[in-house]
Amino acid sequence: MKKMNVRTVLPALAFVAAFGAMTPAHAADKITIIVGGMEKQIYLPAVLCDRLGFFKEQGLDVDLINSKAGVEAENELLAGAVQGVVGFYDHTVDLQAKGKFIQSIVQFSQAPGEVEMVSTKAEDVKSPADFKGKTLGVTGLGSSTDFLTQYMASRAGLKAGEFTLLPVGAGNTFIAAMKQDAIQAGMTTEPTVGQLIKSNTAKVLVDLRTPESTEKALGGPYPAASFYVQTNWLESHHDEAQKIANALVKTMHWIAGHSAEEIADKMPKDYYVGDKDLYVKGLAGGKAMFTPDGRMPEKGPETVLGVLKGFSRNVQGKDIDLSKTYTTEFVDAAAKTLGSSQ
């Protein structure tokens, strides 16, 4: 994994101003957050939050760590190596079925932001029903791209074993796999989607970048990118969780109030992959996936559960308590804080 240090420490003078000259300054709260691909547009709120200085405003010392896929991030969280994950909400449901409890406390998106791309060489693939006998790219086995791909294949009438899933990551490794015909189709995000289309390597088969297209493909809103933590950590670190939520909710408001180009201007230039115009175009097309306030979309958890039950033997037959997979407590409190500061 590649580690990106983005520590932001609130200066002592700010503490004096906030808490009074008689209160001794103390170290900022140290938080390590792992992101399932920081360069992916679906996860940009985490890096944007830091670059806007919102973590710093909350007195947080944050390390963002990059990983190749959400399943890797999930494993690091369960091992206790990090305090939180920026990844897909569906992992909270999948893990509860395995007897492990994590909760989303800020919901970044109401649509996956993912796209099932099909190679321009695979002219016989017109829909997921044509996946039979094909090799399909996913970021990692057990990842959300794995979940969504299996669901689409199952919904099209295919059975497990009639197609192959190959973990190819994202970005350059995904593009190389497509060009070399190691995969005939696969699920990825912006900015990889734009690169594939521009180079005529692949075209869109199923688009999950907007709430409307997602509802058509999955049957309802699909809460995807989120910030989640282990439930036992949340119970003992309420204050830290609230500070993180405050910063992230403020970021979601900022995204809602700014254009794709303005957002892109705040991101690291290497995220453009050499083509800022293409990056902005992709962001403009998918910006509707982001929630404006960090709240869980109504009926979203039910859609996710329905998708997982559609193919996952791990979830099928299990009594899943969706109320334990997310909480709005911290988002609600953040909204009040943000409102009073405006």
Side-chain angles (χ1 to χ4, degrees), residues 170-188:
N172 289 336
T173 55
F174 187 101
I175 294 171
M178 189 72 79
K179 287 183 175 180
Q180 296 164 11
D181 201 35
I183 58 175
Q184 290 74 58
M187 187 166 287
T188 191

Side-chain angles (χ1 to χ4, degrees), residues 39-41 115 117-118 120 170-176 178-179 188-204 209 269-283:
E39 71 287 352
K40 299 175 184 177
Q41 289 187 1
V115 180
M117 302 295 292
V118 59
T120 51
N172 289 336
T173 55
F174 187 101
I175 294 171
M178 189 72 79
K179 287 183 175 180
T188 191
T189 63
E190 294 286 4
T192 307
V193 170
Q195 292 176 279
L196 288 165
I197 294 173
K198 184 177 181 179
S199 64
N200 197 36
T201 301
K203 57 186 178 181
V204 174
R209 286 175 291 186
K269 290 182 172 56
D270 60 332
Y271 286 17
Y272 306 156
V273 201
D275 194 332
K276 183 180 179 182
D277 289 342
L278 193 63
Y279 184 91
V280 171
K281 181 180 179 181
L283 183 54

Side-chain angles (χ1 to χ4, degrees), residues 89 92 102-105 107 296-297 301-302 321-329:
Y89 163 75
T92 69
I102 61 176
Q103 283 183 285
S104 167
I105 66 172
Q107 194 61 46
M296 177 65 72
E302 289 82 358
D321 186 348
L322 291 174
S323 70
K324 294 181 179 179
T325 61
Y326 72 98
T327 176
T328 62
E329 173 188 356

Side-chain angles (χ1 to χ4, degrees), residues 34-36 40 43 67-78 85-88 90-91 94-95 98 139-147 167 228:
I34 189 166
V35 185
K40 299 175 184 177
Y43 295 144
S67 71
K68 295 179 181 179
V71 66
E72 292 182 4
E74 169 193 299
N75 291 336
E76 290 295 311
L77 178 69
L78 295 176
V85 169
V86 172
F88 269 33
D90 52 21
H91 289 290
D94 180 63
L95 283 175
K98 300 173 183 176
T139 52
L141 299 180
S143 67
S144 297
T145 53
D146 178 340
F147 295 161
Y228 61 76

